[in-house]
Coordinates of all heavy atoms in Angstrom, one line a residue:
M1 N 28.4 21.8 18.3 CA 29.1 20.6 18.7 C 28.1 19.6 19.4 O 28.3 18.4 19.3 CB 30.2 21.0 19.6 CG 31.2 19.9 19.8 SD 31.9 19.3 18.3 CE 33.4 18.7 18.8
A2 N 27.2 20.2 20.1 CA 26.2 19.3 20.9 C 25.4 18.5 20.0 O 25.0 17.3 20.2 CB 25.4 20.2 21.8
S3 N 25.0 19.1 18.8 CA 24.1 18.4 17.9 C 24.9 17.2 17.3 O 24.3 16.1 17.0 CB 23.5 19.3 16.8 OG 24.6 19.8 16.0
L4 N 26.1 17.4 17.0 CA 27.0 16.3 16.4 C 27.1 15.2 17.4 O 27.0 14.0 17.1 CB 28.3 16.9 16.0 CG 29.3 15.9 15.4 CD1 28.7 15.4 14.0 CD2 30.6 16.5 15.1
F5 N 27.3 15.5 18.7 CA 27.4 14.5 19.7 C 26.1 13.7 19.8 O 26.1 12.4 19.9 CB 27.7 15.1 21.1 CG 27.9 14.1 22.2 CD1 29.0 13.3 22.2 CD2 27.0 14.1 23.2 CE1 29.1 12.3 23.2 CE2 27.1 13.1 24.2 CZ 28.2 12.3 24.2
S6 N 24.9 14.3 19.8 CA 23.7 13.6 19.9 C 23.4 12.8 18.7 O 22.8 11.7 18.7 CB 22.5 14.6 20.1 OG 22.4 15.5 19.0
F7 N 23.9 13.2 17.5 CA 23.7 12.4 16.3 C 24.6 11.2 16.4 O 24.1 10.1 16.0 CB 24.2 13.3 15.1 CG 24.2 12.5 13.8 CD1 23.0 12.2 13.2 CD2 25.4 12.0 13.2 CE1 22.9 11.4 12.0 CE2 25.3 11.2 12.1 CZ 24.1 10.9 11.5
R8 N 25.8 11.3 16.9 CA 26.6 10.1 17.1 C 26.0 9.1 18.0 O 26.0 7.9 17.8 CB 28.0 10.5 17.6 CG 28.9 11.0 16.6 CD 30.3 11.3 17.2 NE 31.1 12.0 16.3 CZ 32.2 12.6 16.7 NH1 32.6 12.5 17.9 NH2 32.9 13.3 15.8
Q9 N 25.4 9.6 19.1 CA 24.7 8.7 20.1 C 23.5 8.0 19.4 O 23.3 6.8 19.6 CB 24.3 9.5 21.3 CG 25.4 9.7 22.3 CD 24.9 10.3 23.6 OE1 23.9 11.1 23.6 NE2 25.5 9.9 24.7
S10 N 22.7 8.7 18.7 CA 21.6 8.1 18.1 C 22.0 7.2 17.0 O 21.3 6.1 16.9 CB 20.6 9.2 17.6 OG 21.3 10.0 16.6
Y11 N 23.0 7.5 16.3 CA 23.5 6.5 15.3 C 24.0 5.2 15.9 O 23.7 4.1 15.4 CB 24.6 7.2 14.4 CG 25.2 6.3 13.4 CD1 24.4 6.0 12.2 CD2 26.4 5.7 13.5 CE1 24.9 5.2 11.3 CE2 26.9 4.8 12.6 CZ 26.2 4.6 11.4 OH 26.6 3.7 10.5
R12 N 24.7 5.3 17.0 CA 25.2 4.1 17.7 C 24.1 3.3 18.3 O 24.1 2.1 18.3 CB 26.2 4.5 18.8 CG 27.5 5.0 18.3 CD 28.4 5.3 19.5 NE 29.7 5.8 19.0 CZ 30.6 6.4 19.7 NH1 30.4 6.6 21.0 NH2 31.7 6.8 19.2
Y13 N 23.0 4.1 18.8 CA 21.9 3.4 19.3 C 21.2 2.6 18.2 O 20.8 1.4 18.4 CB 20.9 4.4 19.9 CG 19.6 3.8 20.4 CD1 19.6 3.0 21.5 CD2 18.4 3.9 19.7 CE1 18.4 2.4 22.0 CE2 17.3 3.4 20.1 CZ 17.2 2.6 21.2 OH 16.1 2.0 21.6
L14 N 21.0 3.2 17.0 CA 20.4 2.5 15.9 C 21.2 1.3 15.4 O 20.6 0.3 15.1 CB 20.1 3.5 14.7 CG 19.1 4.6 15.0 CD1 19.0 5.6 13.8 CD2 17.7 4.0 15.2
Q15 N 22.5 1.5 15.4 CA 23.4 0.4 15.1 C 23.2 -0.8 16.0 O 23.1 -2.0 15.6 CB 24.8 0.8 15.1 CG 25.4 1.1 13.8 CD 26.9 1.4 13.9 OE1 27.4 1.9 14.9 NE2 27.6 1.1 12.8
R16 N 23.1 -0.5 17.3 CA 23.0 -1.5 18.3 C 21.6 -2.2 18.2 O 21.5 -3.4 18.3 CB 23.1 -0.9 19.7 CG 23.0 -1.8 20.8 CD 23.4 -1.2 22.1 NE 23.2 -2.1 23.2 CZ 22.4 -1.9 24.3 NH1 21.8 -0.7 24.4 NH2 22.3 -2.8 25.2
Q17 N 20.6 -1.4 18.0 CA 19.2 -2.0 17.8 C 19.2 -2.9 16.6 O 18.5 -3.9 16.6 CB 18.2 -0.9 17.8 CG 17.9 -0.2 19.1 CD 17.5 -1.2 20.2 OE1 18.4 -1.5 21.0 NE2 16.3 -1.6 20.2
A18 N 19.8 -2.4 15.5 CA 19.8 -3.3 14.3 C 20.5 -4.6 14.5 O 20.2 -5.6 13.9 CB 20.5 -2.5 13.1
H19 N 21.5 -4.6 15.4 CA 22.2 -5.8 15.6 C 21.5 -6.7 16.6 O 21.4 -7.9 16.5 CB 23.6 -5.5 16.2 CG 24.5 -6.7 16.4 ND1 25.0 -7.5 15.5 CD2 24.8 -7.2 17.6 CE1 25.6 -8.5 16.0 NE2 25.6 -8.4 17.3
E20 N 20.9 -6.1 17.7 CA 20.3 -6.9 18.8 C 18.9 -7.2 18.5 O 18.4 -8.3 18.9 CB 20.5 -6.2 20.1 CG 21.9 -6.1 20.6 CD 22.0 -5.5 21.9 OE1 20.9 -5.1 22.5 OE2 23.1 -5.3 22.4
Q21 N 18.1 -6.3 17.9 CA 16.7 -6.6 17.6 C 16.4 -6.1 16.2 O 15.7 -5.1 15.9 CB 15.8 -5.8 18.6 CG 16.0 -6.2 20.0 CD 15.2 -5.3 21.0 OE1 14.8 -4.2 20.6 NE2 15.0 -5.8 22.1
P22 N 16.9 -6.9 15.2 CA 16.7 -6.5 13.8 C 15.3 -6.5 13.3 O 14.9 -5.6 12.5 CB 17.5 -7.6 13.0 CG 17.6 -8.7 13.9 CD 17.6 -8.2 15.3
V23 N 14.4 -7.3 13.9 CA 13.0 -7.3 13.4 C 12.3 -6.0 13.8 O 11.7 -5.4 12.9 CB 12.2 -8.5 14.0 CG1 10.8 -8.4 13.7 CG2 12.8 -9.8 13.6
I24 N 12.5 -5.5 15.0 CA 11.9 -4.3 15.4 C 12.5 -3.1 14.6 O 11.8 -2.2 14.2 CB 12.1 -4.1 16.9 CG1 11.3 -5.2 17.6 CG2 11.6 -2.7 17.3 CD1 11.5 -5.2 19.1
F25 N 13.8 -3.1 14.5 CA 14.5 -2.0 13.8 C 14.0 -1.9 12.3 O 13.7 -0.8 11.9 CB 16.0 -2.3 13.8 CG 16.8 -1.3 13.0 CD1 17.0 0.0 13.5 CD2 17.3 -1.6 11.7 CE1 17.8 0.9 12.8 CE2 18.0 -0.7 11.0 CZ 18.2 0.6 11.5
Y26 N 14.0 -3.0 11.6 CA 13.6 -2.9 10.2 C 12.1 -2.7 10.1 O 11.7 -2.1 9.1 CB 14.1 -4.2 9.4 CG 15.6 -4.1 9.2 CD1 16.4 -5.0 9.9 CD2 16.1 -3.2 8.4 CE1 17.8 -5.0 9.7 CE2 17.5 -3.1 8.2 CZ 18.3 -4.0 8.8 OH 19.7 -3.9 8.6
S27 N 11.3 -3.1 11.0 CA 9.9 -2.8 11.0 C 9.7 -1.3 11.1 O 8.9 -0.7 10.4 CB 9.2 -3.5 12.1 OG 9.2 -4.9 12.0
V28 N 10.5 -0.7 12.0 CA 10.4 0.8 12.1 C 10.9 1.5 10.9 O 10.2 2.5 10.4 CB 11.2 1.3 13.4 CG1 11.3 2.8 13.4 CG2 10.5 0.8 14.6
V29 N 11.9 1.0 10.3 CA 12.5 1.6 9.1 C 11.4 1.5 7.9 O 11.2 2.5 7.3 CB 13.8 0.9 8.6 CG1 14.2 1.4 7.2 CG2 14.9 1.3 9.6
I30 N 10.8 0.4 7.7 CA 9.8 0.2 6.7 C 8.6 1.1 7.0 O 8.0 1.7 6.1 CB 9.4 -1.3 6.5 CG1 10.6 -2.0 5.9 CG2 8.2 -1.4 5.7 CD1 10.5 -3.5 5.9
G31 N 8.2 1.2 8.3 CA 7.1 2.0 8.7 C 7.4 3.5 8.4 O 6.4 4.2 8.1
L32 N 8.6 3.9 8.5 CA 8.9 5.3 8.2 C 9.0 5.6 6.7 O 8.8 6.7 6.3 CB 10.2 5.7 8.9 CG 10.2 5.7 10.4 CD1 11.6 6.0 11.0 CD2 9.2 6.8 10.9
I33 N 9.4 4.6 6.0 CA 9.5 4.8 4.5 C 8.1 4.9 3.9 O 7.9 5.5 2.8 CB 10.3 3.6 3.9 CG1 11.8 3.8 4.3 CG2 10.2 3.6 2.4 CD1 12.7 2.6 3.9
G34 N 7.1 4.2 4.4 CA 5.8 4.2 3.9 C 5.2 5.5 3.5 O 4.8 5.8 2.4
P35 N 5.0 6.4 4.5 CA 4.5 7.8 4.2 C 5.3 8.5 3.1 O 4.8 9.3 2.3 CB 4.5 8.5 5.5 CG 4.5 7.4 6.5 CD 5.2 6.3 5.9
L36 N 6.6 8.3 3.1 CA 7.5 9.0 2.1 C 7.1 8.5 0.7 O 7.1 9.2 -0.2 CB 8.9 8.7 2.5 CG 9.9 9.4 1.5 CD1 9.9 10.9 1.6 CD2 11.3 8.9 1.9
M37 N 6.9 7.2 0.6 CA 6.5 6.6 -0.7 C 5.2 7.1 -1.2 O 5.0 7.3 -2.4 CB 6.5 5.1 -0.6 CG 7.9 4.5 -0.4 SD 7.9 2.7 -0.3 CE 7.3 2.2 -1.9
V38 N 4.2 7.4 -0.3 CA 2.9 7.9 -0.7 C 3.1 9.3 -1.4 O 2.4 9.6 -2.3 CB 2.0 8.0 0.5 CG1 0.8 8.8 0.2 CG2 1.6 6.7 1.1
I39 N 4.1 10.0 -1.0 CA 4.3 11.4 -1.5 C 5.1 11.3 -2.8 O 4.9 12.0 -3.8 CB 5.0 12.3 -0.5 CG1 4.1 12.5 0.7 CG2 5.4 13.6 -1.1 CD1 4.7 13.1 1.9
T40 N 6.1 10.4 -2.9 CA 7.0 10.4 -4.0 C 6.7 9.5 -5.2 O 7.0 9.8 -6.3 CB 8.4 10.0 -3.5 OG1 8.4 8.7 -2.9 CG2 9.0 11.0 -2.5
I41 N 6.0 8.4 -4.9 CA 5.8 7.4 -6.0 C 4.8 7.9 -7.1 O 5.1 7.7 -8.3 CB 5.3 6.1 -5.4 CG1 6.4 5.5 -4.6 CG2 4.9 5.1 -6.5 CD1 7.7 5.1 -5.3
P42 N 3.6 8.5 -6.7 CA 2.7 8.9 -7.8 C 3.3 9.9 -8.9 O 3.1 9.7 -10.1 CB 1.5 9.6 -7.1 CG 1.5 8.9 -5.8 CD 3.0 8.7 -5.4
P43 N 4.1 10.9 -8.5 CA 4.7 11.7 -9.5 C 5.7 11.0 -10.4 O 5.8 11.2 -11.6 CB 5.4 12.8 -8.8 CG 4.8 12.9 -7.4 CD 4.3 11.5 -7.2
I44 N 6.4 10.0 -9.8 CA 7.4 9.2 -10.6 C 6.6 8.4 -11.6 O 7.0 8.3 -12.8 CB 8.2 8.4 -9.7 CG1 9.2 9.2 -8.8 CG2 9.1 7.3 -10.4 CD1 9.9 8.5 -7.7
R45 N 5.5 7.7 -11.1 CA 4.7 6.9 -12.1 C 4.1 7.7 -13.2 O 4.1 7.3 -14.3 CB 3.6 6.2 -11.3 CG 4.1 5.1 -10.4 CD 3.0 4.6 -9.5 NE 1.8 4.1 -10.2 CZ 0.8 3.6 -9.6 NH1 0.7 3.5 -8.3 NH2 -0.3 3.3 -10.3
K46 N 3.7 8.9 -12.9 CA 3.1 9.8 -13.9 C 4.2 10.2 -14.9 O 3.9 10.3 -16.1 CB 2.5 11.1 -13.2 CG 1.7 11.9 -14.2 CD 1.1 13.1 -13.4 CE 0.3 13.9 -14.3 NZ -0.3 15.1 -13.7
S47 N 5.4 10.5 -14.4 CA 6.5 10.9 -15.4 C 6.9 9.8 -16.3 O 7.4 10.0 -17.4 CB 7.6 11.5 -14.6 OG 8.3 10.4 -13.9
L48 N 6.7 8.5 -15.8 CA 7.0 7.4 -16.6 C 5.9 7.0 -17.6 O 6.1 6.0 -18.3 CB 7.4 6.2 -15.7 CG 8.7 6.4 -14.9 CD1 8.9 5.2 -14.0 CD2 9.9 6.5 -15.9
G49 N 4.8 7.7 -17.5 CA 3.7 7.4 -18.5 C 2.6 6.4 -18.0 O 1.9 5.9 -18.8
Y50 N 2.6 6.1 -16.7 CA 1.6 5.2 -16.2 C 0.2 5.9 -16.2 O 0.1 7.0 -15.8 CB 2.0 4.8 -14.8 CG 1.0 3.9 -14.2 CD1 1.0 2.5 -14.5 CD2 0.0 4.3 -13.3 CE1 0.1 1.6 -13.9 CE2 -0.9 3.5 -12.7 CZ -0.9 2.1 -13.0 OH -1.8 1.3 -12.5
K51 N -0.8 5.2 -16.7 CA -2.1 5.7 -16.7 C -3.0 4.8 -15.8 O -2.9 3.6 -15.9 CB -2.7 5.7 -18.1 CG -2.0 6.7 -19.0 CD -2.5 6.6 -20.4 CE -1.7 7.5 -21.3 NZ -1.9 7.3 -22.7
T52 N -3.8 5.4 -15.0 CA -4.6 4.6 -14.1 C -5.7 3.8 -14.9 O -6.3 4.3 -15.8 CB -5.4 5.5 -13.1 OG1 -6.1 6.4 -13.8 CG2 -4.4 6.2 -12.1
P53 N -5.8 2.5 -14.6 CA -6.8 1.7 -15.3 C -8.2 2.1 -15.0 O -8.5 2.8 -14.0 CB -6.5 0.3 -14.8 CG -5.9 0.4 -13.5 CD -5.2 1.8 -13.5
E54 N -9.2 1.6 -15.8 CA -10.6 1.8 -15.6 C -11.0 1.1 -14.3 O -10.5 0.0 -14.0 CB -11.4 1.3 -16.7 CG -11.2 2.1 -18.0 CD -12.1 1.5 -19.1 OE1 -13.1 0.8 -18.8 OE2 -11.9 1.8 -20.3
P55 N -11.9 1.7 -13.5 CA -12.3 1.0 -12.3 C -13.0 -0.3 -12.6 O -13.7 -0.4 -13.6 CB -13.3 2.0 -11.6 CG -13.6 3.0 -12.7 CD -12.6 3.0 -13.7
I56 N -12.9 -1.3 -11.7 CA -13.5 -2.6 -11.9 C -15.0 -2.4 -11.6 O -15.4 -1.8 -10.7 CB -12.9 -3.6 -10.9 CG1 -11.4 -3.8 -11.2 CG2 -13.6 -4.9 -11.0 CD1 -10.7 -4.6 -10.2
P57 N -15.8 -3.0 -12.5 CA -17.3 -2.8 -12.3 C -17.7 -3.5 -11.0 O -17.2 -4.6 -10.6 CB -17.9 -3.6 -13.4 CG -16.8 -3.9 -14.4 CD -15.6 -3.7 -13.7
S58 N -18.6 -2.8 -10.2 CA -19.0 -3.4 -8.9 C -20.3 -4.1 -9.1 O -20.8 -4.8 -8.1 CB -19.1 -2.3 -7.9 OG -20.0 -1.3 -8.4
T59 N -21.0 -4.0 -10.2 CA -22.3 -4.7 -10.4 C -22.3 -5.3 -11.8 O -21.5 -4.9 -12.7 CB -23.5 -3.8 -10.4 OG1 -23.4 -2.8 -11.4 CG2 -23.6 -3.1 -9.0
Y60 N -23.1 -6.3 -12.0 CA -23.2 -7.0 -13.3 C -24.2 -6.1 -14.2 O -25.2 -5.7 -13.7 CB -23.8 -8.4 -13.1 CG -23.8 -9.2 -14.4 CD1 -22.7 -9.8 -14.9 CD2 -25.0 -9.3 -15.1 CE1 -22.7 -10.5 -16.0 CE2 -25.0 -10.0 -16.3 CZ -23.8 -10.6 -16.8 OH -23.8 -11.3 -17.9
P61 N -23.8 -5.9 -15.4 CA -24.6 -5.0 -16.2 C -26.0 -5.6 -16.5 O -26.1 -6.8 -16.9 CB -23.8 -4.8 -17.5 CG -22.8 -5.9 -17.6 CD -22.6 -6.3 -16.1
I62 N -27.1 -4.9 -16.4 CA -28.4 -5.3 -16.6 C -28.7 -5.2 -18.1 O -28.4 -4.1 -18.7 CB -29.4 -4.6 -15.8 CG1 -29.1 -4.8 -14.3 CG2 -30.9 -5.0 -16.1 CD1 -30.0 -3.9 -13.4
P63 N -29.3 -6.3 -18.8 CA -29.5 -6.1 -20.2 C -30.6 -5.1 -20.5 O -31.5 -4.8 -19.7 CB -30.0 -7.5 -20.6 CG -30.2 -8.3 -19.3 CD -29.6 -7.5 -18.2
K64 N -30.5 -4.5 -21.7 CA -31.4 -3.4 -22.1 C -32.6 -4.0 -22.9 O -32.7 -3.7 -24.0 CB -30.7 -2.3 -22.9 CG -29.6 -1.6 -22.1 CD -28.9 -0.6 -23.0 CE -27.9 0.3 -22.4 NZ -27.3 0.1 -21.2
R65 N -33.3 -4.8 -22.2 CA -34.5 -5.5 -22.8 C -35.5 -5.7 -21.8 O -35.2 -5.6 -20.6 CB -34.1 -6.8 -23.5 CG -33.5 -7.8 -22.6 CD -33.2 -9.1 -23.3 NE -32.4 -10.0 -22.6 CZ -32.8 -10.7 -21.5 NH1 -34.1 -10.7 -21.1 NH2 -32.0 -11.5 -20.9
E66 N -36.7 -6.1 -22.2 CA -37.8 -6.4 -21.2 C -37.4 -7.7 -20.5 O -37.0 -8.7 -21.1 CB -39.1 -6.5 -22.0 CG -40.3 -6.7 -21.1 CD -41.5 -6.9 -21.9 OE1 -41.7 -6.2 -22.9 OE2 -42.4 -7.7 -21.4
R67 N -37.6 -7.6 -19.2 CA -37.4 -8.8 -18.4 C -38.5 -9.8 -18.5 O -39.7 -9.4 -18.3 CB -37.1 -8.4 -17.0 CG -35.8 -7.5 -16.9 CD -35.4 -7.3 -15.6 NE -34.9 -8.6 -15.0 CZ -34.1 -8.7 -14.0 NH1 -33.7 -7.6 -13.4 NH2 -33.8 -9.9 -13.5
R68 N -38.3 -11.0 -18.8 CA -39.3 -12.0 -18.9 C -39.5 -12.8 -17.5 O -38.5 -13.1 -16.9 CB -39.0 -13.0 -20.0 CG -38.9 -12.4 -21.4 CD -38.5 -13.5 -22.3 NE -37.2 -13.9 -22.0 CZ -36.2 -14.0 -22.8 NH1 -36.4 -13.7 -24.1 NH2 -35.0 -14.4 -22.5
P69 N -40.7 -13.0 -17.1 CA -40.9 -13.7 -15.9 C -40.4 -15.2 -16.1 O -40.6 -15.8 -17.1 CB -42.3 -13.6 -15.6 CG -43.0 -13.3 -16.9 CD -42.0 -12.6 -17.7
V70 N -39.9 -15.8 -15.0 CA -39.4 -17.2 -15.1 C -40.6 -18.1 -15.1 O -41.5 -17.9 -14.3 CB -38.5 -17.4 -13.9 CG1 -38.0 -18.9 -13.9 CG2 -37.3 -16.5 -13.9
Q71 N -40.6 -19.1 -15.9 CA -41.6 -20.1 -16.0 C -41.0 -21.5 -15.8 O -39.9 -21.7 -16.2 CB -42.3 -20.0 -17.3 CG -42.8 -18.7 -17.7 CD -44.3 -18.7 -17.9 OE1 -44.9 -19.8 -18.2 NE2 -45.0 -17.6 -17.7
G72 N -41.7 -22.3 -15.1 CA -41.2 -23.6 -14.8 C -40.5 -23.7 -13.5 O -40.6 -22.8 -12.6
Y73 N -39.8 -24.7 -13.3 CA -39.0 -24.9 -12.0 C -39.9 -24.8 -10.8 O -39.5 -24.2 -9.8 CB -37.8 -24.0 -12.0 CG -36.9 -24.1 -13.1 CD1 -36.9 -23.0 -14.1 CD2 -36.1 -25.2 -13.3 CE1 -36.0 -23.1 -15.2 CE2 -35.3 -25.3 -14.4 CZ -35.2 -24.2 -15.3 OH -34.4 -24.3 -16.4
E74 N -41.1 -25.3 -10.9 CA -42.1 -25.3 -9.7 C -42.4 -23.9 -9.2 O -42.6 -23.7 -8.0 CB -41.5 -26.2 -8.6 CG -41.3 -27.6 -9.1 CD -40.7 -28.5 -8.0 OE1 -40.6 -28.0 -6.8 OE2 -40.5 -29.6 -8.2
D75 N -42.4 -22.9 -10.1 CA -42.8 -21.5 -9.7 C -44.3 -21.3 -9.8 O -44.7 -20.2 -9.6 CB -42.0 -20.5 -10.6 CG -40.6 -20.4 -10.2 OD1 -40.3 -20.8 -9.0 OD2 -39.8 -19.9 -11.0
E76 N -45.1 -22.2 -10.2 CA -46.5 -22.0 -10.5 C -47.3 -21.8 -9.3 O -47.4 -22.3 -8.3 CB -47.0 -23.1 -11.4 CG -46.2 -23.1 -12.6 CD -46.4 -24.4 -13.4 OE1 -46.6 -25.5 -12.8 OE2 -46.4 -24.3 -14.6

């Protein structure tokens, strides 16, 4: 019975906070949902057939030829 009483009090407290300070309340709610999504979303995406894309290249590909020295443009 004591646990039911404490649940009612915490529920009323959350209701009051949602009414009086909605920004803080919903910030906390979204903050608590974040770690849960990290655990649940990847298996759902995998079951729906999502495949991870190729990684974006971090460098420009160097041509497979001999590099010619630059001539002109006052490099002499």
Side-chain angles (χ1 to χ4, degrees):
M1 192 62 151
S3 64
L4 184 62
F5 182 69
S6 65
F7 176 75
R8 283 186 191 164
Q9 277 188 326
S10 59
Y11 180 73
R12 285 182 184 166
Y13 175 75
L14 291 175
Q15 262 187 327
R16 182 172 176 235
Q17 289 302 101
H19 181 72
E20 291 184 5
Q21 297 176 340
V23 174
I24 296 172
F25 175 77
Y26 287 110
S27 297
V28 170
V29 169
I30 290 171
L32 293 173
I33 290 173
L36 181 65
M37 289 177 66
V38 168
I39 296 169
T40 57
I41 297 297
I44 293 171
R45 287 172 54 181
K46 188 176 181 181
S47 68
L48 293 174
Y50 179 80
K51 296 178 183 162
T52 55
E54 292 182 16
I56 297 172
S58 59
T59 61
Y60 187 78
I62 298 175
K64 295 181 178 10
R65 59 176 168 78
E66 183 180 324
R67 298 189 65 159
R68 297 177 295 229
V70 180
Q71 303 240 337
Y73 304 107
E74 299 177 5
D75 286 339
E76 300 165 327

